Amino acid sequence: LGAALSSILAFKLAGKTKSWIPKPITCISFESPFAGGHSFGEAFRQLERDGMIRYLRVTNSRDIVPAMPPFSLGIRNKGLYQHVGIRLDFANSKKYARSYPRTGRMNRLRRSLANTLLKPVWSVLHYHALELVDERLVVHKEALSNLTIDGIYRDESIVGDIAIHDEL
């Protein structure tokens, strides 16, 4: 649960108005489970739009831990837990993808069910291992070395309307 806690801590720090806390807060986590529900996701995205936080979640696509728990005790679609930040997902040792969570009701429900039902529980020990992420980071080192979190946040094809627009 360290990854989920790190995202919550980053969120809390980004929302603080203390002048000694540098902004944006940058957080990189590995294999994070869901950290919050609808209101958390909305507030987190607002902090991203305001330039107060940058968050990168590194995952293995077959790991079940980032899909847990799929539901909170809320009502209807607002009861679904949400991921926040940019996802750097390793499908295997040959390819990776960058994405940003979409907020549509059906998209969240479909993703929650697919992530929970289609990932075998017995694979947790293999796919929820930092050694596997480390191997994949090494394989993609050259391609990833040219990326920055701010650079990804500037790419509207990934983050949509929260993209950073440099002032001229």
Side-chain angles (χ1 to χ4, degrees):
L1 295 176
L5 290 174
S6 72
S7 64
I8 293 169
L9 175 62
F11 170 76
K12 296 289 253 176
L13 291 173
K16 296 287 184 189
T17 58
K18 305 286 185 195
S19 62
W20 52 269
I21 300 175
K23 302 294 186 331
I25 298 295
T26 300
C27 181
I28 300 173
S29 69
F30 295 87
E31 307 297 348
S32 180
F34 291 107
H38 178 76
S39 297
F40 172 74
E42 288 296 313
F44 199 101
R45 283 185 287 282
Q46 186 59 53
L47 287 172
E48 287 174 310
R49 281 190 287 278
D50 294 343
M52 305 300 273
I53 192 167
R54 300 288 174 251
Y55 181 43
L56 180 68
R57 291 182 304 108
V58 182
T59 64
N60 283 312
S61 61
R62 297 184 74 189
D63 185 358
I64 195 170
V65 172
M68 291 301 191
F71 300 99
S72 65
L73 297 175
I75 301 171
R76 289 181 286 179
N77 70 319
K78 294 185 181 201
L80 294 175
Y81 278 103
Q82 299 180 5
H83 276 301
V84 292
I86 294 168
R87 179 182 182 198
L88 175 61
D89 181 59
F90 293 104
N92 55 45
S93 62
K94 293 186 173 42
K95 64 183 200 177
Y96 67 92
R98 292 165 292 175
S99 63
Y100 189 77
R102 301 296 175 221
T103 59
R105 176 182 173 196
M106 289 310 294
N107 189 32
R108 285 194 314 264
L109 180 59
R110 180 181 47 78
R111 189 175 56 243
S112 292
L113 292 173
N115 281 337
T116 305
L117 299 174
L118 299 178
K119 293 180 180 180
V121 174
W122 59 86
S123 68
V124 168
L125 294 178
H126 177 71
Y127 291 109
H128 191 68
L130 284 180
E131 294 82 13
L132 185 59
V133 173
D134 190 44
E135 288 172 20
R136 292 176 178 181
L137 284 170
V138 170
V139 167
H140 298 289
K141 181 179 179 180
E142 188 174 324
L144 294 173
S145 66
N146 296 322
L147 295 177
T148 65
I149 293 177
D150 279 344
I152 298 170
Y153 270 96
R154 284 185 181 91
D155 188 341
E156 288 185 28
S157 69
I158 296 173
V159 296
D161 68 343
I162 68 149
I164 297 172
H165 298 284
D166 294 324
E167 300 297 322
L168 299 177

